[in-house]
Amino acid sequence: MRNGDMMRVEDRSLVQGRGRYTDDIVLENMAYAAFARSPYPHARLLSVDGSIAAGQESVLAVYTLEDYRADGCRPLPYLLPPPENRIGAAAFLPDRWPLAGGRLRHVGDPFALVVATTPEAALEAAESVVAEAAMLAPVMEMRDATRSFQPIWEDCADNVCFLHEAGDADCTAAAFGSAPHVVSGRFVVPRVSANPLEPRGCVAAYDPDSDRLTVFAGVQDVFGCRSGLATALCRTQESIDVVSPCVGGSFGLKYLDPETTAVCWAATKLRRPLKWVSSRSEAFLSDNHSRDNVTIGELAVSSKGEFLALRVRTDANVGAYAASLASASPVNNLGSLAGVYRTPAIDVRVRGIFTNTNPTGPYRGAGRPEASYVIERLVDMAARRLGLDRTEIRRRNMIRAEEMPYRTALTYTYDCGEFETVMDKALRAADWNDFERRRGRSRQDGKLRGIGISTVIERATLAWTFENVRTIARSDGRLTIVAGGSDQGQGHGTMYTQLATSWLGLSPDSIEVVEGDTRWLPSGGMTGSSRTSAMGSAALHRSVQDLLERAKPIAADHLEAHSADVEFRAGFFVVAGTDRQVALTEVFRIAAAAAPGSASGGLEGNGHYSAEVENFPNGCHVCEVEIDPETGELTFCDYVVVDDVGNVINETIVDGQLHGGIAQGIGEALMEAVRYGDDGQLMSGSFMDYAMPRAGDMCGFRTGLHPVPTATNPVGAKGAGEAGLVGALPAIVGAIVDALADYDVDHLDMPITSAKIWSAISGHCRADSPMVHEPPAE
């Protein structure tokens, strides 16, 4: 724990096993749901036979889309539809129903819901449900989808879900036309799976007497989930409560999904509580996957290494359905392509393409890591082309602190930042200037050594989103803080407690934090886009001020003083110029005593914060690796990151966020990839086939901070939740390429496995010498 930081208040109950997750919830008379899923990647669904399942004694019901639609229910709503393109053409957004009907569009597509009295009986019965189907040719690759004679959706012949364009195409073309140097590359960001420790699941309970539906689900946005359920199930939002209990990770995965919608509908139909919890193998088949982009990037550069223009063409695989947040990653954070550089002209085009694969949605960073990867790899290539040090070409093009605020050529306006200072701090910490000595030492040991750098920026706290926080005084002198978001391990409770302690002078053990529960607030924000540190803290600040304003007259009356003469200092209301004072906790008790039957006496504060503009965390990553050329095995020697996340509320939590993001970046860069066969079957359906990083794959991460406070919120905080992953991919890949520089390798696509590294080395050896190697075992 860093000096001055509060210890995490969440951890004791979690490490002692007292956390209450979705699967821990058991309600009286509860039944269990399981889904029959498509074994086919693409087929016309002719009929569903659930007679065997329905005949089992423990089975309560077998439902299909026909049953759902017969009740007047609707498809899932789109939380974030893709924008129109330049000429105003709308995206093709097909209806996504909770259960498939008409066609099965990917392996794992749910087409029937089975309810039974035990989870084992539900799973067994679901396996007996038969789909009679006529096979159709699957379209698995984006390069085949746009010229396929087999549209995945009947009304979308070219399989293009959306086309989004941004920037200035004419200015960019003119700059490229006169540029003395152009570097280009094809960059693949592979399909990955979020794989949180806790899979998706829900418990739905319906009370027919009050016509009220209560849903327990570990989602990132309880209010968005409530709104989506109300739309799909044709109910009022007021008749639905959504509660997010403890959550074992999410990373962008856990929003309203088809399974939760179907389970909630079935619970109201059966009038008894109903639970569904995904298994790990089911998760690979049914979770939204992420990333899966192919980008052609071009950077026009002057003879002095100045960036003149950037042109980017990306195909993004949206899978078989446009998920409710399908465009979030490919489109929403394209501004990160501008990086920290003064590039005067940028032209970007993104196509979302349907394939017979799992739908894709947000994953930590949601487009920021992909964009940063493209621009930073191009910058490295430009440095190599011009014979410049990679730090020097960055320095020549970085936006200077005195130029702030700075509007880039691609939608973003940076409010503040000291990019060169951040880079210099990271270079000193990583001892960049002494690297060649370390490389020479590795060569003496028969190893290859490389160093990579990325200087990146991201958008946090999306403009025009909001957060609500309620502070409630208790008769025992305690304070309850109710926030609209939900915690999936970030440490929100610690943040809110630490801030409230510093502002109100209360002890940490007198503060309770409630999140992710629509029963406490009329509306609230979600957790995502690195927004809670800025927006939650700002809303709490306003709520605390409101609470103190309401408490002040009560304190003045108790002190027999005029309210104007009373001020608040470090936990006490004090009459100015005297020693007369009353503790805030005592004011809580006085308020409660004045209103018998009320825990708070009506004393509470409400804070609403709406972000009019975003803020922009930024940082520099330096990664150093060593490679065994005989096997391609890679070892991390050092990893340094310096970040500007604005004012830091709790440095220990920021450290944890950076470490977690870097670890996920290592997984994505070196080993993680969802694979399908040509027949459309999922080949990476378990952790036997989908590699995840472990502690032994990493080194110690050295983190540092360079806070440049933002004026976009009262606390001056920027986001930190996604920063570690945003800079990791280009730094790691850049280090590997640098280690292979003697082999004329200028780029390798992720995941860069030891076999891929060995192939790059051995390919060079076969061309230039009679050396022969056998490939190492994966």
Side-chain angles (χ1 to χ4, degrees), residues 15-297:
V15 300
Q16 292 179 347
R18 292 186 286 110
R20 189 170 185 245
Y21 295 83
T22 300
D23 200 23
D24 294 322
I25 296 171
V26 178
L27 303 179
E28 185 179 355
N29 198 36
M30 188 166 71
Y32 298 86
F35 290 89
R37 297 186 179 276
S38 172
Y40 315 114
H42 198 190
R44 187 174 295 108
L45 183 60
L46 303 177
S47 64
V48 176
D49 183 1
S51 58
I52 296 176
Q56 298 178 22
E57 183 179 352
S58 58
V59 172
L60 303 176
V62 178
Y63 295 127
T64 65
L65 177 60
E66 185 178 345
D67 301 307
Y68 179 86
R69 296 183 70 167
D71 282 354
C73 296
R74 295 182 290 205
L76 276 70
Y78 284 95
L79 299 180
L80 188 67
E84 294 181 343
N85 64 19
R86 281 192 183 121
I87 59 174
F92 177 78
L93 298 177
D95 288 341
R96 188 182 186 188
W97 298 89
L99 299 170
R103 279 202 197 186
L104 303 171
R105 291 183 168 87
H106 68 91
V107 171
D109 209 358
F111 61 84
L113 170 64
V114 176
V115 181
T117 55
T118 69
E120 296 80 11
L123 286 170
E124 183 178 352
E127 291 177 358
S128 71
V129 179
V130 177
E132 183 184 355
M135 292 290 293
L136 298 170
V139 182
M140 305 308 298
E141 298 290 342
M142 289 189 289
R143 63 175 178 265
D144 300 325
T146 54
R147 56 176 182 261
S148 172
F149 296 105
Q150 181 64 70
I152 295 168
W153 293 91
E154 293 85 343
D155 297 327
C156 186
D158 60 359
N159 288 323
V160 174
C161 174
F162 64 83
L163 173 65
H164 177 70
E165 298 161 299
D168 191 322
D170 293 337
C171 286
T172 302
F176 270 94
S178 60
H181 299 282
V182 173
V183 294
S184 63
R186 179 179 181 270
F187 307 105
V188 176
V189 180
R191 174 176 286 242
V192 295
S193 179
N195 290 325
L197 189 63
E198 178 201 25
R200 292 180 300 124
C202 68
V203 174
Y206 175 66
D207 179 6
D209 294 333
S210 62
D211 189 31
R212 193 159 202 84
L213 175 67
T214 301
V215 185
F216 300 92
V219 293
Q220 296 182 221
D221 182 4
V222 291
F223 294 95
C225 184
R226 181 181 68 177
S227 173
L229 285 172
T231 298
L233 304 183
C234 300
R235 301 181 62 86
T236 64
Q237 291 194 47
E238 292 73 22
S239 70
I240 302 174
D241 292 318
V242 178
V243 182
S244 181
C246 289
V247 184
S250 177
F251 312 118
L253 172 67
K254 295 177 180 176
Y255 291 90
L256 178 63
D257 53 45
E259 289 88 350
T260 297
T261 307
V263 168
C264 289
W265 162 73
T268 62
K269 196 171 182 66
L270 290 169
R271 300 194 169 196
R272 64 186 295 177
L274 187 57
K275 176 189 282 190
W276 167 75
V277 176
S278 170
S279 67
R280 183 64 65 185
S281 57
E282 185 180 19
F284 275 108
L285 287 170
S286 61
D287 284 356
N288 286 344
H289 294 158
S290 307
R291 313 292 200 226
D292 205 350
N293 294 349
V294 177
T295 293
I296 303 297

Side-chain angles (χ1 to χ4, degrees), residues 330-478:
V331 170
N332 269 32
N333 293 295
L334 283 175
S336 298
L337 282 165
V340 296
Y341 311 113
R342 298 184 302 273
T343 307
I346 302 177
D347 174 29
V348 180
R349 188 193 70 198
V350 180
R351 291 192 303 178
I353 298 176
F354 290 115
T355 61
N356 290 117
T357 60
N358 286 40
T360 56
Y363 174 57
R364 197 171 192 168
R368 302 166 182 87
E370 300 95 307
S372 296
Y373 179 64
V374 170
I375 182 59
E376 290 299 290
R377 292 299 301 129
L378 286 170
V379 171
D380 279 1
M381 291 176 176
R384 187 170 184 171
R385 171 76 65 85
L386 274 67
L388 291 173
D389 185 89
R390 286 166 289 166
T391 63
E392 177 59 26
I393 196 170
R394 286 171 167 83
R395 198 179 304 277
R396 292 184 186 185
N397 289 279
M398 277 182 173
I399 301 162
R400 295 182 291 272
E402 60 268 24
E403 296 177 287
M404 299 294 179
Y406 186 93
R407 181 168 180 80
T408 74
L410 197 63
T411 71
Y412 289 172
T413 299
Y414 303 153
D415 62 302
C416 64
E418 298 173 359
F419 307 144
E420 190 171 2
T421 301
V422 168
M423 182 176 74
D424 286 339
K425 279 190 172 183
L427 295 177
R428 286 194 297 271
D431 202 2
W432 179 276
N433 291 335
D434 194 47
F435 170 72
E436 289 303 327
R437 183 186 64 81
R438 299 193 295 276
R439 194 202 293 268
R441 190 176 61 204
S442 292
R443 281 176 176 157
Q444 291 175 359
D445 296 334
K447 302 292 179 64
L448 307 172
R449 199 177 189 100
I451 194 167
I453 184 173
S454 63
T455 49
V456 296
I457 193 166
E458 57 165 320
R459 176 178 65 168
T461 313
L462 301 183
W464 307 114
T465 59
F466 71 94
E467 186 56 276
N468 284 331
V469 172
R470 181 182 173 199
T471 47
I472 306 170
R474 296 300 187 188
S475 59
D476 58 0
R478 296 174 59 82

Side-chain angles (χ1 to χ4, degrees), residues 565 567 569 574-580:
D565 296 330
E567 55 190 39
R569 298 181 199 159
V574 180
V575 179
T578 76
D579 59 357
R580 293 160 58 203

Side-chain angles (χ1 to χ4, degrees), residues 603-617:
L603 179 55
E604 62 178 67
N606 290 283
H608 175 88
Y609 178 74
S610 179
E612 296 182 3
V613 294
E614 305 97 338
N615 62 64
F616 296 90

Side-chain angles (χ1 to χ4, degrees), residues 264 318 321 434 513 534 560 680 718:
C264 289
V318 301
Y321 298 90
D434 194 47
V513 177
E560 298 180 344
K718 303 174 185 177

Side-chain angles (χ1 to χ4, degrees), residues 89 100 181 197 223 376 413 448 526 552 582 631 747 773 778:
H181 299 282
L197 189 63
F223 294 95
E376 290 299 290
T413 299
L448 307 172
M526 57 89 172
K552 189 175 180 179
V582 61
T631 63
H747 183 69
H773 294 282
E778 273 288 276

